[in-house]
Amino acid sequence: MVLEISSLAGLPAHPLLVHAAVVLVPLAVVALLLTGWKASWRKHYSLPVALLAVAGAVFAFLAKQSGEPIEDAVKRAAENAGVRARFGEHPEEGDRAFLFALVFALATVAFWAVDRYRERWGLPAWSPMGVYAIGAVIGVAAFATMTLAGHSGAELVWKDVGSFAAGK
């Protein structure tokens, strides 16, 4: 583990950080899809969209890193209760969500750079739309993986982990 975050201002860090990632990444995807297809909109909005996507990736990383201390704490509490905690696919889904958020952030930065410096770099006129299309596909995947990770985490909180102490 590169960074371990267990609490922020006395509150568990993971739920706070997860909510930031779950909002920022899909918001950046929708913003890219809405603003990236029209040249005049790209000129004004591609940098803010890229910054939004980078912020989403940072929060996805922090959420991933803060999930491991919670996983360890729940496992210890379950052992003390004489049962085994089950996390299903949530840890792996969180890893995938981070990976796609990171790749999406890189794609949005590339989109901004290609749109801004296309002529200076001697790229063809279609190159911004090509990078937009690639970024849109990656963005849809980032949106989907973030949704799946968020849903499985919510299920753990409201169904599975919450019931381990009762032996269900």
Side-chain angles (χ1 to χ4, degrees):
M1 178 184 298
V2 175
L3 177 68
E4 187 171 304
I5 304 168
S6 59
S7 67
L8 294 171
L11 297 171
H14 189 66
L16 299 173
L17 297 168
V18 162
H19 282 90
V22 166
V23 168
L24 292 175
V25 171
L27 183 62
V29 172
V30 170
L32 175 72
L33 294 174
L34 292 176
T35 64
W37 61 274
K38 190 171 180 183
S40 63
W41 293 352
R42 281 196 306 267
K43 180 181 178 186
H44 296 293
Y45 300 114
S46 63
L47 182 58
V49 169
L51 294 174
L52 193 62
V54 168
V58 167
F59 277 104
F61 171 75
L62 293 173
K64 174 184 162 341
Q65 294 302 110
S66 66
E68 292 181 18
I70 284 190
E71 183 179 1
D72 294 340
V74 169
K75 282 180 182 176
R76 281 192 307 274
E79 286 175 9
N80 291 340
V83 294
R84 184 174 168 263
R86 294 178 309 264
F87 296 94
E89 293 294 313
H90 180 65
E92 292 78 16
E93 288 172 349
D95 291 344
R96 263 190 303 277
F98 162 65
L99 177 65
F100 276 96
L102 177 63
V103 173
F104 175 65
L106 294 172
T108 60
V109 170
F111 177 59
W112 166 78
V114 166
D115 188 58
R116 180 169 176 135
Y117 299 109
R118 179 188 66 79
E119 290 178 10
R120 185 182 301 172
W121 293 344
L123 298 174
W126 57 263
S127 57
M129 287 307 292
V131 178
Y132 168 74
I134 292 167
V137 170
I138 295 168
V140 169
F143 193 116
T145 58
M146 192 63 65
T147 302
L148 289 172
H151 179 69
S152 67
E155 280 187 329
L156 283 173
V157 169
W158 296 109
K159 182 180 131 196
D160 295 335
V161 172
S163 65
F164 80 81
K168 295 181 183 175

